Amino acid sequence: MSSAMKPATADANQTQMAQAAAPATKVELPEVQGEVDVAKLMEPGPLPEMAIGKADAPVTIVEYMSMTCPHCARFHNETFDAIKAKYVDSGKVRFVVREFPFDPRAAAAFMLARCAPEGQYFPMVSMLFKQQETWAAAPNGRDALLQMSKLAGFTQESFEACLTNQKLLDDVQATMQKGEKEYGVKATPTFFINGKQYSGEMSVDTMSALIDTML
């Protein structure tokens, strides 16, 4: 009986090995939707750049996103941390986030992330994306954002001061306008990977495959 089972076990092992190898060959790369010269793309904008990773990393990813966009939230909740661990922390990728708010609530969320203490922009964005359903669709968005902000260390006063900062709002809007006019961004999320433009959220496998083609 055991000898009869051996071939089946071998087959099972081969199947597992084939399955393990399969994802690498099956990832379909998304279509490039345009290209922007990297030097032009990285010109200073209205706001200081929010970036993680080595400045001289071989691959630069710029993401234009909106805080109320469910696709952006899904990317940051399901893909971003894995890409950060695999490529950013290892020095292969510099990841830049730029604001592209489609509505006033998204603009307010970006402003609060910009007002967070130094080094807290990415954690604040991450928290807001994880809790997106709590505040983005709340009947009173301001109250919902205040509760979220208090978790990040804001007071009622610092919250109000941030959201009434007209220059910051203007700069967030100008970042969006520059992305639209100069780089052709129309939807979120839009990624530029070494200048090549891709629209829509990506899985870890898809983004990894794209990055690997440029390393």
Side-chain angles (χ1 to χ4, degrees):
M1 191 168 168
S2 62
S3 62
M5 286 175 66
K6 275 180 187 167
T9 308
D11 286 348
N13 287 343
Q14 282 173 345
T15 304
Q16 284 173 343
M17 284 167 68
Q19 284 170 344
T25 55
K26 276 188 181 173
V27 176
E28 222 174 287
L29 297 182
E31 202 178 314
V32 180
Q33 300 194 310
E35 191 160 1
V36 176
D37 180 68
V38 176
K40 180 176 167 60
L41 184 66
M42 301 315 292
E43 284 171 357
L47 286 163
E49 205 81 280
M50 285 300 171
I52 52 170
K54 284 171 59 180
D56 61 348
V59 177
T60 298
I61 298 176
V62 176
E63 178 191 5
Y64 279 89
M65 66 187 193
S66 179
M67 290 304 303
T68 49
C69 154
H71 301 287
C72 301
R74 206 154 46 228
F75 171 78
H76 277 266
N77 294 339
E78 296 175 10
T79 300
F80 179 76
D81 286 346
I83 294 298
K84 180 181 178 297
K86 190 174 178 184
Y87 295 102
V88 177
D89 296 346
S90 62
K92 293 173 182 170
V93 163
R94 178 173 175 78
F95 201 106
V96 179
V97 163
R98 289 186 187 159
E99 292 89 348
F100 204 86
F102 277 124
D103 52 68
R105 213 171 276 200
F110 276 130
M111 290 169 74
L112 291 164
R114 286 276 178 181
C115 291
E118 193 172 343
Q120 291 304 301
Y121 180 88
F122 278 89
M124 180 94 177
V125 162
S126 176
M127 179 190 75
L128 288 170
F129 272 140
K130 284 184 172 64
Q131 301 291 330
Q132 190 187 63
E133 289 175 16
T134 308
W135 61 270
N140 188 323
R142 197 178 181 87
D143 283 355
L145 276 173
L146 175 60
Q147 297 314 312
M148 294 285 104
S149 300
K150 282 182 173 174
L151 294 174
F154 282 78
T155 61
Q156 176 90 37
E157 292 72 26
S158 62
F159 175 83
E160 297 289 348
C162 180
L163 291 189
T164 53
N165 183 337
Q166 187 62 43
K167 184 180 186 318
L168 178 56
L169 175 59
D170 291 345
D171 287 346
V172 166
Q173 300 288 9
T175 300
M176 177 178 180
Q177 287 156 9
K178 185 178 170 76
E180 192 172 14
K181 286 178 188 164
E182 297 189 22
Y183 311 134
V185 180
K186 293 182 179 64
T188 58
T190 290
F191 300 95
F192 291 91
I193 305 181
N194 277 4
K196 290 182 169 61
Q197 182 178 346
Y198 303 91
S199 279
E201 63 189 282
M202 292 191 205
S203 66
V204 176
D205 285 349
T206 302
M207 185 164 268
S208 295
L210 279 175
I211 293 168
D212 289 345
T213 65
M214 300 181 191
L215 289 173

